Amino acid sequence: MRAEDTKEPEPGEKREASKTEEDVDTKPEELPPSKRSKIDTVTTHGKESVYKAGTIERGHIYFFYRPRVELEEAESIEDIKNFYMLLVPRPPEFSVFQSSAQIGTEKPDPTKSEESEMKVLARGADAIPAPDIGHSKKKHYRLITVGKKKLPDPESPGRGGSRRKEMFWASVTAVGDDLDSLEKGLGEKMYETKTRGTRHQEPARLVARGGYAIVNSEAEVPSERESHLGYHISHPGPKEMGDVQSSLGIYSASSFILQVKNPLAPATGPQQVHSKSADYPDWIMQGVFGVGEGSAEHSRGRESYGLRFASCETPELLDYEGAQLLLIAAREGEEGLEKSLGEGRGAALAELEEKEAKESVKQVFDELGMDLDEFPVESLEGSWI
């Protein structure tokens, strides 16, 4: 990898771990028993590390690539500098009416109340993100850079033809709450270098948009825990999927297992050695990885630093820049998505994205607060640009 390819980091705001919109909008006691996550808690220094079995997050997912420096267009994956996965979490759809009624912004309507209750009870309802009606620019987001410039392919064998699934590294590049900073980070760039003078970099290209959910499996012991990130694409439609999506490993529906690396564990490659790791607080280091002063009672793993990897026990693990992730291919297709997420969540995402596919490209860019005139759109039609 050339030095100029890794020289300039994407800007983003450092975000301390905070409660998600779901925590604020929907209390566990407001959900029916079938939709309440099963929680395993560990108390360390007065703080609880929470493992939830079930949907821990849902929202909208976007995939972008950026051409290499000084290239006006990319014609293949070899011309890509970076491949990004953007997560924009949302509260669950069924919480919208409940929250509006609670704060008095909407008068109680028995018809809507019954409809809201039916949505809560529907299979897979906890995986459906609330619609983005106002297109506010104040949204939480995470920009994740995928190291191999493509997603792990569930249909490809592992290294050396083994039966193990493909697995690729990724890292959280930027975290923020203002889409203006995201647009600036993904937009066109001009910068100066000592050896080559002024350098130009084309804006990132949006290649896919859809809905996603992160679901934790039910497990009796921590070693059996798995976090699945599954997505279903709304744009482009199946017929518009082209070489660019195929080359980047993007299916209409797919999933992968998500693991988070302990920042204290030894680096496994040169890129990790030179990368700044996530600065997690003690409650995450102790409660998730089992390391730190006073954590002997809840220690995990065989090493002094605790577990080398952990499942995504809480979404807050993704809220720190420098977080290193391992993406392990799981299953593709709608049936595979349903098997990974379970309890009707894959089918619910498929139904949602079929509806959202009717939105225009302009609406897609509007929900990201991006100017359609500043970003090429041919890639959403399956073509390299």
Side-chain angles (χ1 to χ4, degrees):
M1 182 176 292
R2 294 178 294 187
E4 66 182 24
D5 289 343
T6 58
K7 178 179 179 180
E8 183 166 316
E10 299 297 334
E13 301 175 7
K14 185 72 173 180
R15 173 187 169 90
E16 294 299 324
S18 60
K19 291 186 177 181
T20 64
E21 290 181 89
E22 179 183 1
D23 296 326
V24 175
D25 293 338
T26 309
K27 298 178 181 178
E29 59 268 23
E30 295 171 349
L31 303 179
S34 63
K35 295 302 175 187
R36 296 177 190 169
S37 298
K38 295 182 180 179
I39 299 175
D40 172 25
T41 62
V42 176
T43 302
T44 54
H45 292 291
K47 296 221 175 187
E48 287 186 343
S49 173
V50 180
Y51 177 84
K52 296 181 180 180
T55 302
I56 63 170
E57 184 174 284
R58 89 288 303 139
H60 289 110
I61 189 169
Y62 309 80
F63 295 100
F64 291 84
Y65 73 82
R66 188 194 292 278
R68 290 184 180 275
V69 176
E70 294 300 323
L71 283 183
E72 292 186 1
E73 295 183 3
E75 298 181 355
S76 72
I77 196 171
E78 300 301 323
D79 295 333
I80 291 178
K81 177 189 176 185
N82 293 118
F83 175 47
Y84 303 111
M85 178 171 65
L86 173 67
L87 302 181
V88 182
R90 297 286 297 158
E93 182 185 36
F94 60 71
S95 71
V96 174
F97 172 78
Q98 294 172 339
S99 300
S100 298
Q102 287 171 359
I103 63 177
T105 60
E106 185 174 310
K107 293 182 180 180
D109 183 329
T111 304
K112 290 186 177 181
S113 180
E114 182 178 351
E115 180 182 345
S116 178
E117 184 176 350
M118 291 300 294
K119 287 182 178 180
V120 175
L121 296 174
R123 279 175 55 82
D126 58 350
I128 302 303
D132 179 25
I133 299 175
H135 293 320
S136 169
K137 286 200 171 187
K138 299 299 181 181
K139 293 178 186 173
H140 183 48
Y141 70 85
R142 311 181 191 97
L143 189 66
I144 298 170
T145 302
V146 183
K148 288 288 186 179
K149 303 178 186 177
K150 61 176 293 188
L151 295 175
D153 189 348
E155 298 299 304
S156 295
R159 184 180 300 176
S162 68
R163 296 180 62 183
R164 295 180 62 185
K165 295 285 189 177
E166 276 191 341
M167 55 182 74
F168 297 155
W169 283 101
S171 61
V172 178
T173 307
V175 180
D177 294 287
D178 188 342
L179 294 181
D180 282 334
S181 62
L182 175 67
E183 182 178 26
K184 182 179 178 181
L186 294 177
E188 185 177 19
K189 296 178 183 294
M190 298 284 288
Y191 61 94
E192 299 291 330
T193 66
K194 292 182 179 179
T195 57
R196 298 189 180 186
T198 303
R199 307 293 283 168
H200 173 258
Q201 194 168 43
E202 283 285 308
R205 278 76 160 132
L206 177 65
V207 292
R209 178 267 189 201
Y212 79 94
I214 302 176
V215 177
N216 282 342
S217 64
E218 294 186 16
E220 295 183 359
V221 294
S223 60
E224 296 178 356
R225 295 172 179 171
E226 280 189 348
S227 300
H228 284 257
L229 192 158
Y231 67 84
H232 198 291
I233 297 301
S234 62
H235 298 72
K239 294 182 179 180
E240 286 74 41
M241 285 277 193
D243 181 60
V244 59
Q245 285 79 24
S246 176
S247 298
L248 297 172
I250 301 172
Y251 287 85
S252 291
S254 191
S255 66
F256 45 84
I257 296 171
L258 179 63
Q259 294 187 353
V260 184
K261 182 179 178 292
N262 183 340
L264 297 182
T268 59
Q271 187 173 1
Q272 293 180 23
V273 172
H274 300 291
S275 300
K276 184 178 179 180
S277 299
D279 185 17
Y280 289 129
D282 288 344
W283 72 269
I284 285 182
M285 294 302 299
Q286 294 174 19
V288 174
F289 299 108
V291 67
E293 184 180 354
S295 66
E297 182 181 353
H298 305 295
S299 62
R300 300 181 183 181
R302 299 178 180 179
E303 305 295 340
S304 59
Y305 52 73
L307 293 175
R308 183 184 295 268
F309 295 96
S311 59
C312 190
E313 301 196 2
T314 167
E316 290 169 298
L317 283 164
L318 307 178
D319 280 336
Y320 292 83
E321 292 176 14
Q324 296 176 351
L325 314 176
L326 192 61
L327 311 181
I328 306 172
R331 306 174 181 92
E332 63 92 13
E334 292 186 1
E335 290 186 7
L337 179 63
E338 174 57 38
K339 190 171 182 180
S340 290
L341 301 185
E343 298 188 12
R345 298 182 182 100
L349 272 180
E351 182 179 352
L352 171 69
E353 295 316 311
E354 184 178 350
K355 295 177 181 177
E356 294 189 337
K358 299 175 183 178
E359 297 178 2
S360 67
V361 173
K362 184 179 186 305
Q363 286 177 292
V364 171
F365 275 83
D366 283 346
E367 68 186 13
L368 285 174
M370 291 184 174
D371 188 343
L372 186 60
D373 294 332
E374 300 296 326
F375 293 87
V377 298
E378 290 87 345
S379 49
L380 271 178
E381 300 171 354
S383 302
W384 289 101
I385 180 66

